[in-house]
Amino acid sequence: MITLTVNDTVHELDLDPRTSLLDALRDHLALTGTKKGCDHGQCGACTVLVNGRRINSCLTLAIMHEGDAVTTIEGLGTPEALHPMQASFLDHDGFQCGYCTPGQIVSALGMLDEFRAGWPSHVSESLDGGTELSDEEISERMSGNICRCSAYPNIVHAIRAARDERADKGESEERT
Amino acid sequence: MREFAYSRAGDLEEAGRLAEEQAGRFIAGGTNLLDLMKLEVETPKALVDVSRLPLGEISPTEDGGLRIGAMVTNADLAADQTVRRDYPVLSRALLAGASGQLRNKATTGGNLLQRTRCYYFYETSAPCNKRNPGSGCAALDGFNRIHAILGTSDQCIATHPSDMAVAMLALDASVETRLPDGGSRTIALKNFHRLPGQTPEVESNLQPGELITSVVLPPPPKGRHIYRKVRDRASYAFALVSVAAIVAVENGKIASARLAFGGLAHKPWRDRAVEEALIGQEPSEALFEEAADLLLKEAAGHGHNDFKIPLGRRTLIAVLSEATKEAAQ
Ligand SMILES: Cc1cc2nc3c(=O)[nH]c(=O)nc-3n(C[C@H](O)[C@H](O)[C@H](O)COP(=O)(O)OP(=O)(O)OC[C@H]3O[C@@H](n4cnc5c(N)ncnc54)[C@H](O)[C@@H]3O)c2cc1C
Ligand code: SF4
Ligand code: FES
Ligand code: FES
């Protein structure tokens, strides 16, 4: 038996050690918002937050995450009360088929936290962390999320708008 | 995926004991090992989870260097203030690798021991001496665009895919380990990875059950730090060729040069003859050409990867020009 905490709910699960975190979420907890694209770390559709950090849930074992706090797309908002990042993807047409979207949204939240912590990226001119979150920075930092529909321009718009809105509200220091 | 026994090590001693008793493999971030286990390229009977061992610290060493715990993630290492300030070539190499999600999981120890991305190594129906010793090498006469041009053998022409290790090699890093009998040792990174020779399945000089505990960097070297990675797309792709360079120019002459290369060989590549040819000389296009000639003197393409010879040459020349630019003006 292992104990998994997902979206603040504690679950006791009897899992084969081979079960990936992704399969535990989808097949054992019926949290099918998190998608399986490649199952090999190459697409980002399976992105979840573990202790606030974005990771690929397909490349880790559920059994390795006892006691960790897992957040999936279902833990962000509901259709009645969308998370601002979810609303922004709707407002900006940040998707076409929608398959990559949960991964994009969860990844974007993890990415914004990394940016606020002052982490540089491959395209940052300097490593000192004083970078503006330009479209180029967003694209680089989101490169782990592939979109087969190539909705990239609007994905970048949606992320930028969600971030600007939060900055306007003076919430930039708050955890998402 | 084949069945395996799973256990989580509570301390270093237990990790060593479990690995020895069960002939188990360590799992840290899992981003390489699980990928390969899903395809049954790797079929360990037991996994020893070392991800919670207390090896997550980055701390100064007595002589002014830096000790990086084996469980420090690639993301945390790239963002560390000391690394950014004193070892920028390492931050740059890490940030050029994989994706934000993967860097949050990938660890320092696991990154060093990640396996090749040779397509045939991943394809269990193909002959591959690395996966199945003695079966042949499908890449020799197959698609070998991403393969090695230096230090290859007739058994294997695969490359080591790490970016981090290339920067660490230029920084003269060493690897600290714990042996299953409780002893410990330090291996210079330049002696850590192996060329394929007749045993391409043996990739490092670690013994079975030997755990990487940390990587140690000597005090920061002076000079410009550059990591240049050339790849098929702008992000989230492995290097075709990469160069880590730390070059200092004093009084118009190259005072020191450390150069390491990725994408060219079965291990991160460093060639002292190239560095020695540069030291004491005035930077010039002719000098850089000479350095590239030396580096690639014994380079051999295998068909699809012939382009890596001119690409390696141009990348080295571009990096050296950039590293010495201000001094030359
Ligand atoms: C899609 C994709 C793209 C990628 N792109 C890049 C890239 O551009 N550049 C790059 O450099 N890398 C890239 N990577 C590879 C990634 O960096 C590695 O998978 C990662 O660094 C491995 O670390 P890990 O902790 O997850 O290792 P694991 O998968 O846990 O382990 C890897 C190996 O190391 C052994 N091991 C782990 N820790 C220890 C230890 N402390 N002591 C002894 N043995 C140990 C394991 O037994 C195993 O054999 C990419 C990976 C993917 C999936
Ligand atoms: S190059 Fe090496 S890894 Fe690739 S098929 Fe040949 S033996 Fe296997
Ligand atoms: S399903 Fe995990 S990265 Fe594609
Ligand atoms: S919206 Fe279709 S894959 Fe991204």
Side-chain angles (χ1 to χ4, degrees), chain B residues 116 118 120-121 127-130 136-139 147 155-158:
Chain B
T116 186
C118 169
Y120 304 104
F121 175 69
C128 169
N129 290 322
K130 188 184 279 301
C137 170
H147 289 73
Q155 300 294 306
C156 178
I157 57 171

Side-chain angles (χ1 to χ4, degrees), chain B residues 53-114:
Chain B
L53 292 181
L55 299 171
E57 298 285 306
I58 303 173
S59 55
T61 59
E62 272 176 18
D63 70 348
L66 203 64
R67 174 172 286 108
I68 302 157
M71 296 307 139
V72 172
T73 64
N74 288 179
D76 283 335
L77 187 55
D80 180 78
Q81 294 291 353
T82 307
V83 175
R84 283 199 246 170
R85 187 188 62 226
D86 295 339
Y87 303 95
V89 68
L90 179 55
S91 276
R92 287 290 180 192
L94 287 159
L95 293 172
S99 67
Q101 290 95 316
L102 287 160
R103 291 192 295 270
N104 275 332
K105 268 260 139 200
T107 64
T108 305
N111 190 312
L112 287 178
L113 289 170
Q114 63 174 297

Side-chain angles (χ1 to χ4, degrees), chain A residues 14-35:
Chain A
D14 188 13
L15 294 177
D16 186 305
R18 289 174 288 187
T19 316
S20 67
L21 179 58
L22 175 61
D23 287 345
L25 294 170
R26 290 182 54 85
D27 301 344
H28 296 265
L29 296 174
L31 293 169
T32 52
T34 308
K35 301 299 182 213

Side-chain angles (χ1 to χ4, degrees), chain A residues 2-6 9-11 13 15 21 24 29 62 65-66 70:
Chain A
I2 76 151
T3 309
L4 264 190
T5 308
V6 183
T9 307
V10 180
H11 302 272
L13 291 171
L15 294 177
L21 179 58
L29 296 174
H65 291 285
E66 268 202 293
V70 181

Side-chain angles (χ1 to χ4, degrees), chain A residues 59-71:
Chain A
L59 280 192
T60 191
L61 298 171
I63 200 170
M64 296 177 78
H65 291 285
E66 268 202 293
D68 288 342
V70 181
T71 307

Side-chain angles (χ1 to χ4, degrees), chain B residues 150-174:
Chain B
L150 288 169
T152 56
S153 75
D154 58 355
Q155 300 294 306
C156 178
I157 57 171
T159 58
H160 193 276
S162 172
D163 291 296
M164 180 195 82
V166 175
M168 285 180 170
L169 183 64
L171 288 165
D172 286 319
S174 48

